[in-house]
Each structure stands twice: as C-alpha cells, then as structure tokens.
C-alpha cells in the first residue's frame, strides 16, 4: 500500500487485533490517491476506526457491522470541503456505501449489504 500502514486498521478497543480485508485496503488506497484539492494538494485519509473485533463496544451494539468483517473504515473529516473531496475520491475508486457523520465518513465494501447508498448519523 502506498498511503496506509496496517497498524492504522487495528481494533482500537485495546485487543490489538486486525483482520482488515486486503481487497478493501487496495480500493481504499486507490481512493486516497484521488484525494486532492483543486490546487493539487493532498487531502489525507485519517482512519479513526478500521477493523473492530466482536468485543469492541460498537460491535456489541451493532453485531452486523461491516467493521467486524474487516470491510469498513471511518475517515476523519475536518470541514465540508474535505468531506466533498474525500467522498468524491471514494466514489471515483468504486465505493458505493457511505455513512456521513458530522466529523467522519464511514465507507465499506460489504457486498452482503445494499449497494449505492448514503446514510447519515
């Protein structure tokens, strides 16, 4: 991968586990390459949540989460412009499932779930 380290996707509950899907990472890495401002400067993807083990508090609340399958990540966004750039880059790379929060974008590659959707938190 050009833009990410595997440690960025380790479960943040303290267990140290990471079962992130390699295909997901490959597509996410491609998306990061498209993430540029109009002036050509990079807009980084800061991962706030990647893989989540089954004991992670969010996994307990949502046991069908794509994070548990290693097929999802949450990306920090600092403002509306950054949100637009990151969302466009993710779409350009082929993602079609997005959750939009106040300060993050959830993206996943879970083919067991409905495709071409955007939801809000």
């Amino acid at each position: 991968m050009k833009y990410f380290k595997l440690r960025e996707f380790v479960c943040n509950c303290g267990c140290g586990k990471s079962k992130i899907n390699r295909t997901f990472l490959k597509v996410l890495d491609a998306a990061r390459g498209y993430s540029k401002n109009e002036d050509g400067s990079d807009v980084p993807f800061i991962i706030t949540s990647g893989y989540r083990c089954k004991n992670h508090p969010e996994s307990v609340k949502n046991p069908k989460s794509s994070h548990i399958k290693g097929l999802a990540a949450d990306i920090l966004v600092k403002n509306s412009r950054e949100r637009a750039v990151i969302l466009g880059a993710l779409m350009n790379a082929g993602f079609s499932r997005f959750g939009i929060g106040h300060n993050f974008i959830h993206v996943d590659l879970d083919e067991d779930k409905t495709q071409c959707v955007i939801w809000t938190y």
Side-chain angles (χ1 to χ4, degrees):
M1 290 179 297
K2 182 175 180 179
Y3 297 102
F4 298 104
K5 305 284 186 226
L6 286 177
R7 67 178 173 265
E8 294 178 78
F9 300 91
V10 171
C11 183
N12 59 19
C13 79
C15 70
K17 295 179 184 175
S18 181
K19 296 181 182 175
I20 199 76
N21 180 281
R22 301 295 176 165
T23 301
F24 171 77
L25 285 179
K26 194 178 288 187
V27 180
L28 190 65
D29 202 56
R32 172 57 186 82
Y34 299 129
S35 185
K36 308 260 186 223
N37 283 309
E38 290 174 349
D39 65 2
S41 62
D42 285 345
V43 175
F45 284 14
I46 299 169
I47 306 301
T48 59
S49 186
Y51 170 75
R52 293 180 189 155
C53 74
K54 65 180 182 172
N55 297 319
H56 187 285
E58 292 297 322
S59 298
V60 173
K61 285 189 221 176
N62 181 8
K64 295 184 180 186
S65 171
S66 300
H67 287 271
I68 299 168
K69 296 178 179 181
L71 292 171
D74 294 343
I75 304 165
L76 179 70
V77 294
K78 298 175 185 167
N79 55 54
S80 61
R81 177 68 188 146
E82 195 170 273
R83 183 179 296 108
V85 169
I86 292 171
L87 189 58
L90 292 166
M91 289 178 176
N92 196 24
F95 285 105
S96 70
R97 290 183 44 79
F98 311 97
I100 309 297
H102 176 71
N103 64 348
F104 72 97
I105 295 174
H106 165 95
V107 63
D108 70 62
L109 202 59
D110 195 337
E111 294 179 0
D112 294 334
K113 296 182 178 175
T114 304
Q115 301 299 299
C116 300
V117 294
I118 300 175
W119 63 92
T120 58
Y121 293 96

